[in-house]
């Protein structure tokens, strides 16, 4: 992992962004642990963060809004506000070339927002489901959005036909997060019982085939994420741990714990898959060496739990 950057705010090449319950978003110099900037996120906690494909902006979603911040300037305030949503917005993500953004939330919808220049950044499409949405993820081929929520159903929204299919991995268990590996061949979800389910994806359009059930955590699971080389899956939980699984045979590679960590809300791999960032309820973000299983760095500055983080490393 190359941990250097010389441009604005330490370079948009390497950016660790964190947010949480203290109504701020912080931009960190990843290699030093120094906080470069604090951006204001008034009115609510931060539920999710996503850096856009160009690396210039970060989207943050919270209660009844989505905001966009410029990472390349010193402006502490959002430069774009998306209105017209009710309740908590749980997740946010971008189409591969940044033409549109997608979100999911407690208003029981997944939404697509037009980001093209000259538009008013309006909601372009709405996909209604019967229960609050906790997770949305776009397939790497850009053809489907997986939508999961409190009903325990994963809806596979086909963006070309507008049809949807449904998966129910476990009855009466809320889907907390969904991830698809960068190659588009594996999909995973975690639920509020601590279980992780994995499917292989094949065909066109991609269809899920059950592959593995992992009893990942003893209580509430929060997030799951694949490494960029698709060799690892991380799951995080209210059991105070992040666990890294080998996708080759689904064995446990690392269990990452710290005395004060408490709930681990989010995690992100570096692009070389050697390191993992985590954010937790003790207000710290942490950097772990996955080969050694060691804690390499702590990012201290938030006053309350860190519930979301995003990392972009274009320097490798």
């Amino acid at each position: 992992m190359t941990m250097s950057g010389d441009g604005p705010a330490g370079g948009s090449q390497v950016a660790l962004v964190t947010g949480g319950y203290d109504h701020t978003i912080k931009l960190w110099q990843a290699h030093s642990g120094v906080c470069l900037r604090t951006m204001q996120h008034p009115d609510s906690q931060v539920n999710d963060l996503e850096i856009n494909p160009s690396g210039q902006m970060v989207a943050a979603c919270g209660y009844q809004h989505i905001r966009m911040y410029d990472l390349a300037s010193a402006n502490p305030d959002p430069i774009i506000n998306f209105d017209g949503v009710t309740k908590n917005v749980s997740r946010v993500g971008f189409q591969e070339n940044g033409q549109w953004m997608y979100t999911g939330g407690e208003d029981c919808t997944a939404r697509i927002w037009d980001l093209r220049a000259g538009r008013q950044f309006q909601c372009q499409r709405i996909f209604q489901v019967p229960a609050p949405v906790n997770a949305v993820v776009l397939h790497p081929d850009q053809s489907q959005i997986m939508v999961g929520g409190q009903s325990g159903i994963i809806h596979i929204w086909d963006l070309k036909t507008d049809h949807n299919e449904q998966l129910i991995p476990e009855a009466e268990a809320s889907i907390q997060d969904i991830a698809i590996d960068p190659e588009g061949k594996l999909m995973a979800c975690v639920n509020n019982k601590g279980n992780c389910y994995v499917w292989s994806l094949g065909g066109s359009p991609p269809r899920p085939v059950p592959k593995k059930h992992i009893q990942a955590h003893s209580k509430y699971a929060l997030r799951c994420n694949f490494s960029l080389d698709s060799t690892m899956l991380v799951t995080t939980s209210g059991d105070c741990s992040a666990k890294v699984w080998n996708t080759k045979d689904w064995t446990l590679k690392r269990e990452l714990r710290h005395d004060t960590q408490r709930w681990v809300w989010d995690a992100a791999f570096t692009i070389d898959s050697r390191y993992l960032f985590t954010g937790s309820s003790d207000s710290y973000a942490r950097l772990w060496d996955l080969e050694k299983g060691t804690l390499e760095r702590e990012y201290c500055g938030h006053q309350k739990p860190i519930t979301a983080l995003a990392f972009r490393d274009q320097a490798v």
Side-chain angles (χ1 to χ4, degrees), residues 102 137-146 180-181 183-186 201-203 206:
Y102 59 93
V137 65
L138 177 65
H139 191 282
D141 73 4
Q142 316 294 296
S143 70
Q144 298 174 331
I145 291 179
M146 312 299 183
I180 298 176
D181 82 307
E183 296 174 3
K185 294 177 179 175
L186 292 171
L201 296 174

Side-chain angles (χ1 to χ4, degrees), residues 7-15 17 27 37 39 50-59 68-75 77 79-80 94 98 312 314:
S12 59
Q13 285 184 315
V14 181
V17 187
L27 174 64
R37 274 176 57 206
M39 294 162 274
E50 186 77 18
I51 297 169
N52 75 336
S54 71
Q56 296 300 306
M57 294 199 289
V58 63
M68 207 89 86
Y69 297 80
D70 186 353
L71 292 176
S73 80
N75 184 358
D77 299 315
I79 57 170
I80 304 169
F94 290 96
R312 181 166 291 269
Q314 296 170 327

